Amino acid sequence: MKWVFAGAIGALASGAMAADGSAQRAWVDGWSAPPDTVGPVLDAQTVRQVVRTSIGGSGLRVRFSNLLGSVPVTLGPVHVALSAGAADTVPGSDHVLLFDGKPTVTIAKGESVLSDPLKMTVKPLQQLAVSIYAPADTHYHPATAHSAGMATAYITEHGDATGAVHFPREEISGSRFYLTDVEVAGAAPRHTLVALGDSITDGVGSKQDANQRWPDYLAARLQADPQLSSIAVADAGIGGNRVLHDGYGPSALARFDRDALDQPGVRWVILLEGINDIGGSGYAWDAKDKIDAQQLIDGMKQLIARAHARHVKIYGATLTPYGGNGWPYHSAAGEKTREQVNAWIRHSGAFDGVVDFDKAIRDPAAPRKMLPAYDSGDHLHPSSAGYRVMAAAVDLKLFAGKR
């Protein structure tokens, strides 16, 4: 099999043949959880994490990160299998991931590593169990993690259980550990849509273990359309993330290349960021964190320019209502800034297109608030029903035509 990396444009002709006569393959990012925090120390323990790929294919490779580690970390063995629900796997579906042909890998501080390609049939919206053994840790350093996994991670108290069909459920966590991307290969052409955002894109407020974030619902819509089923969706949401300044994870400006533009096959980005820049201004102590609408717009303009320089289209999503969340996060001044930014997103023409999430879930009788039916209860994060409506508001024509 000839594996071909699909870059920023990914313009491989359908049915193209490699030099050895085999059909060319294109890689896309079928699942993502960018690192944003440090987790607990894993010391001679196994962690099993369930992910749902947004697209199918004939092979996969998996990325692991030590971005926030303090020393090099060794992982392995690592197994991938079909999930049977909760912590269990489908018997006979287990595969061992290799790294340069070896079952273990040492990841340098601040770096990440991609596994060797694994020949494995993956169906669209397939749930996979990725099991990582972290050997005894002589340094007792924290794991690089993604805090709001919206899925249960299962951890052993001790020992290698990577190949277990029935996994010991001795400890659980709501975070992701080391695992950041699952890339899927299939017949070209195929492309990646990156959803870049904060906790709203990360799915906070949705049902745990249910894959009910708005990017999940959007992936299902794309897979239901034969003309668009070659599009993968990578969820690059980080809770608390801001456009302009670091906080919970690096800012959108700082992570844009790593989490969006450098992803295999990326062709489109939907940007839903800014509400934390605005809300954070309400209680900020430092002058730099007190932002206005123009600063936020200028930050978005930088992201647009960087996307266009890489031949990637970027769609602006309007900032969703958060009235009722409480002062000082929500304030009259903050609301004015949100409305100014949304007006610019809608009418400036700076983005390649607009996704009006604000209009989709706001209460027509009180437009500064979400409709109660779409509110998770904190008046900031939508519920699963709200996320479904948001995904339905994305015009699929934005991804139609020549790809």
Side-chain angles (χ1 to χ4, degrees):
M1 178 177 288
K2 177 81 170 180
W3 300 97
V4 178
F5 180 81
I9 301 179
L12 295 174
S14 180
M17 303 300 289
D20 62 3
S22 62
Q24 287 191 338
R25 320 301 288 171
W27 289 100
V28 290
D29 192 357
W31 177 88
S32 184
D36 60 13
T37 190
V38 292
V41 173
L42 297 181
D43 186 15
Q45 293 172 281
T46 305
V47 55
R48 176 166 290 177
Q49 302 169 79
V50 179
V51 305
R52 190 182 78 167
T53 61
S54 60
I55 194 170
S58 56
L60 57 81
R61 56 192 185 188
V62 184
R63 184 172 295 280
F64 303 90
S65 176
N66 189 29
L67 179 70
L68 304 176
S70 56
V71 296
V73 62
T74 297
L75 301 177
V78 180
H79 288 229
V80 179
L82 301 181
S83 172
D88 295 340
T89 60
V90 175
S93 68
D94 187 74
H95 297 74
V96 179
L97 282 178
L98 299 177
F99 306 87
D100 290 330
K102 301 175 182 178
T104 63
V105 64
T106 298
I107 311 173
K109 172 185 174 181
E111 300 295 332
S112 67
V113 67
L114 198 60
S115 74
D116 297 344
L118 172 68
K119 187 176 181 181
M120 178 180 179
T121 299
V122 180
K123 295 180 180 179
L125 310 181
Q126 178 90 65
Q127 292 210 123
L128 303 174
V130 180
S131 304
I132 307 166
Y133 178 62
D137 184 353
T138 58
H139 301 284
Y140 290 94
H141 65 282
T144 290
H146 178 94
S147 56
M150 303 310 301
T152 304
Y154 304 91
I155 307 171
T156 63
E157 289 184 0
H158 188 80
D160 177 7
T162 51
V165 171
H166 302 294
F167 191 82
R169 308 176 192 190
E170 295 160 338
E171 300 179 28
I172 61 172
S173 172
S175 297
R176 301 287 188 181
F177 302 95
Y178 298 115
L179 175 64
T180 63
D181 298 275
V182 177
E183 300 180 3
V184 183
R190 53 204 271 132
H191 302 288
T192 300
L193 159 63
V194 176
L196 188 79
D198 48 40
S199 57
I200 296 174
T201 295
D202 213 9
V204 172
S206 66
K207 184 179 179 181
Q208 183 87 351
D209 295 314
N211 298 301
Q212 293 178 350
R213 312 161 188 86
W214 73 259
D216 294 323
Y217 284 122
L218 179 56
R221 289 187 66 204
L222 293 168
Q223 287 304 313
D225 187 332
Q227 299 299 314
L228 302 175
S229 60
S230 62
I231 300 173
V233 178
D235 187 337
I238 288 179
N241 206 224
R242 296 184 290 180
V243 173
L244 300 175
H245 302 297
D246 295 348
Y248 290 93
S251 68
L253 287 170
R255 69 187 183 95
F256 192 47
D257 285 9
R258 185 197 71 200
D259 292 344
L261 300 183
D262 292 343
Q263 295 300 336
V266 62
R267 189 64 178 274
W268 308 275
V269 174
I270 296 179
L271 175 68
L272 176 59
E273 284 257 28
I275 203 68
N276 289 313
D277 298 74
I278 296 170
S281 294
Y283 53 77
W285 289 100
D286 293 336
K288 71 175 180 62
D289 293 321
K290 294 183 180 294
I291 63 97
D292 58 29
Q294 191 57 54
Q295 289 174 294
L296 192 49
I297 289 168
D298 288 344
M300 291 182 180
K301 286 180 177 179
Q302 291 185 50
L303 296 176
I304 294 168
R306 288 163 62 183
H308 289 168
R310 297 280 290 271
H311 307 286
V312 173
K313 289 186 175 182
I314 181 167
Y315 302 131
T318 53
L319 306 183
T320 49
Y322 71 125
N325 182 256
W327 186 88
Y329 191 86
H330 181 266
S331 65
E335 185 61 40
K336 182 179 178 180
T337 300
R338 185 182 75 92
E339 291 171 1
Q340 289 173 332
V341 172
N342 278 351
W344 178 81
I345 292 171
R346 289 185 179 107
H347 305 302
S348 68
F351 286 100
D352 296 297
V354 174
V355 179
D356 203 340
F357 286 150
D358 171 51
K359 182 180 178 181
I361 66 170
R362 70 189 181 201
D363 186 342
R368 295 184 176 187
K369 298 182 179 181
M370 277 182 276
L371 270 173
Y374 302 149
D375 192 337
S376 67
D378 66 5
H379 312 305
L380 173 64
H381 300 98
S383 62
S384 293
Y387 287 129
R388 182 189 290 274
V389 170
M390 288 172 64
V394 180
D395 186 352
L396 297 188
K397 292 179 182 178
L398 293 172
F399 319 109
K402 184 177 180 181
R403 297 192 297 280

